């Protein structure tokens, strides 16, 4: 009996999109408003999906409270109420697009999820723009 | 032309989480607030997904009104406004975790969905905790 | 500059509706499914509105983190993951209708909100049924 | 690094469901309220999913602003504030069920999405009825 | 103890906006896409608010199930899955703007709500456009 | 016939909360995470309510498309994808709390709304924290 469990968490952060190897006018042309120099920000909604066997003793794939704690301890405490470009190791040189944030959160959580279980990240940057990794 | 159709239904119920083979303090330690003795409850949101070929005559995979009726007749009338632990056959001995409720609803509906079609259940226990079966 | 601030919190509980002075068949006839003997339950969404002057030094009517803590310390810790009829002083004899729960939460919070500020409660029992007090 | 990006758009339209090869009473019996002669309508929510490699230079699978523009230029300008049965080429003879609308939108967008990328459509006809194509 | 109770219902309908006393080009210029000749449509979300004293015997201002039934019997059965301009008495000559629909629903329900209670209508024409009456 | 019409718009911005007249440790102690030096950000949801007489010729209190345009031209273009503290005249010295942002947006729009009509602002800073002005 393989089931997916999903836990949704909320954080918010400032960021701007920029390729440090490009000239400023290239960045402005490509990223538009998302490249404004003094940052903007979002309420991010994160959904973490863990897929695995249901434990017959507990009826759980994984304790959702522990999953929630793990998400904060291993990933979100780094990003919540922060400036992703300035305040984090992860996005010092990596452009903090929704795609890249989802991959980073996945890679921070992956070592802490049972290896037999699959892990998938959905991240809402706005109510109308969101991403999933792995696809 | 294979399409998935989804129908969302709402029900509410009381439950508590408990492994009847464990001592009371083990249950309390593992399940925490979800093990409180006198039950708590939820507004469950159920999404039933049926995947199959679109009928060229009707433009339907399946009539959504009939799917809605089926969900209530075969599954939700058993659980709505009930105590899952005390009032239902299905959860007399099975722990009513979201994972197990999703599997039970799947198994109640499966015989009544055309065998050529796939069936998947998503169940929201709270707006931030939900499950899917099969994964 | 008078502004309202709103804080939304989530809790869940079991309950049943019953007038202890009525015969059982009167209760069943009047309250229907909400009177089932073994309880059902809900995910309640609570919105607490505090209306007052904006403090020019802080830009706040009231610190939302403190309001959130207050809601849990003075009210929701009593009800979350509980059976309202069996586990609470407040609903031992008072029918736990959404109307009455909203009034009770209001009265628990009122002494802890600055007396110059107005307080209003909105309580969602389901996504489609909700109440406000005072009206 | 394969990621899915999703863009949600809103449009509204009138339609009625009907198989032009059936007698009127057959249509009324099968489609019920959805066959009423003078049309009804919906606020459709469309989610377009594009799956592909993240470009290391931009951090994007695809620019969401360009995806939004494409959705309107290639598909939604044909349907928004229109009567699907009377005003559109696509549904002159094709029954505008949610399933068929999703397939049509997919086929309008597919030539304009990079061929290496996968495309998937989710269409909400109401908050409780929705479809996905391909499944 | 005065409390407001709210009940949300869903219906959908086709309509177009038009002042029958204006020339066609005046209508097109003023109402834009909402004046397209063959109608468009919406999923309307209706919230009915009834404000009154809580009955100490029942804990209710008004039975929400009865309120729901009343909303359908006195108002929504006339409009659901209909063309407001063509199929209804109410909008034969009255422009079916959200404002006018809210007033019409209010006036259909008002005689059936206890005269001591206040009645207010909120109507969502889209998730981002809605109205209230009385203000 | 007095009706309220509501239009919801979305923008996002970076900000930090700070009283420039306080020492840094006072700011950190009072505003907590909201005072982090390099800014964080939000997806703001703005609901603008205009209350007035329904025009019998149009069935409108106010054209919602014009209201939407007005909100962007007079207010939101200043704030969308900006850093409220660094990039705006309005919050150079005024702390950009939700309360203050709501008052500023109100005051930017008020001269452009017909003087006979009432204007009210609701601003969501997060899905669980929001404000209204005037109260």
């Amino acid at each position: 009996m393989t089931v997916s469990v999903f836990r949704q968490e909320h954080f918010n952060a400032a960021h701007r999109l920029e390729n440090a190897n490009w000239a400023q006018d290239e960045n402005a042309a490509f990223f538009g408003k998302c490249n404004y120099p003094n940052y903007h920000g979002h309420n991010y909604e994160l959904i973490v999906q863990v897929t695995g066997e249901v434990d017959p003793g507990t009826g759980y794939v994984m304790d959702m409270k522990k999953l929630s704690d793990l998400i904060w301890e291993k990933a979100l405490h780094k990003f919540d109420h922060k400036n992703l470009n300035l305040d984090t190791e992860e996005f010092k040189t990596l452009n903090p697009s929704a795609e890249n944030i989802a991959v980073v959160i996945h890679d921070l959580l992956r070592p802490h999820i049972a290896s037999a279980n699959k892990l998938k990240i959905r991240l809402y940057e706005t109510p109308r723009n969101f991403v999933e990794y792995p696809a």
Side-chain angles (χ1 to χ4, degrees), chain A residues 6 46-51 97-110 118-124 130-135:
Chain A
F6 302 75
L46 172 70
I47 301 178
V48 175
Q49 176 183 5
V50 176
T51 302
S97 66
E99 289 91 331
N100 284 338
I101 301 172
V103 172
V104 162
I105 291 175
H106 175 275
D107 292 352
L108 288 169
L109 294 177
R110 184 62 268 187
K118 281 199 276 188
L119 174 67
K120 190 171 192 170
I121 302 297
R122 175 176 281 203
L123 182 73
Y124 287 81
F130 54 104
V131 302
E132 274 185 1
Y133 175 76

Side-chain angles (χ1 to χ4, degrees), chain A residues 15-19 27 31 34-35 40 85 95-98 125:
Chain A
H15 80 153
R16 69 186 290 245
L17 300 185
E18 185 179 42
N19 181 327
N27 274 297
F31 291 113
C34 299
N35 180 248
H40 59 282
N85 306 68
N95 194 18
S97 66
E125 189 174 86

Side-chain angles (χ1 to χ4, degrees), chain A residues 31-101:
Chain A
F31 291 113
K33 292 190 296 186
C34 299
N35 180 248
Y36 284 176
N38 288 323
Y39 312 97
H40 59 282
H42 298 289
N43 297 324
Y44 291 94
E45 293 288 339
L46 172 70
I47 301 178
V48 175
Q49 176 183 5
V50 176
T51 302
E53 291 297 305
V54 177
D55 179 312
T58 64
Y60 281 5
V61 170
M62 184 178 178
D63 185 317
M64 297 292 250
K65 178 68 174 64
K66 286 187 183 146
L67 178 55
S68 173
D69 292 346
L70 200 68
I71 294 167
W72 280 91
E73 286 163 21
K74 304 302 180 190
L76 296 194
H77 82 277
K78 294 168 176 270
F79 308 135
D80 185 39
H81 282 78
K82 296 288 179 61
N83 183 309
L84 298 180
N85 306 68
L86 297 181
D87 294 332
T88 75
E89 284 307 308
E90 288 77 6
F91 300 103
K92 277 275 157 60
T93 60
L94 181 67
N95 194 18
S97 66
E99 289 91 331
N100 284 338
I101 301 172

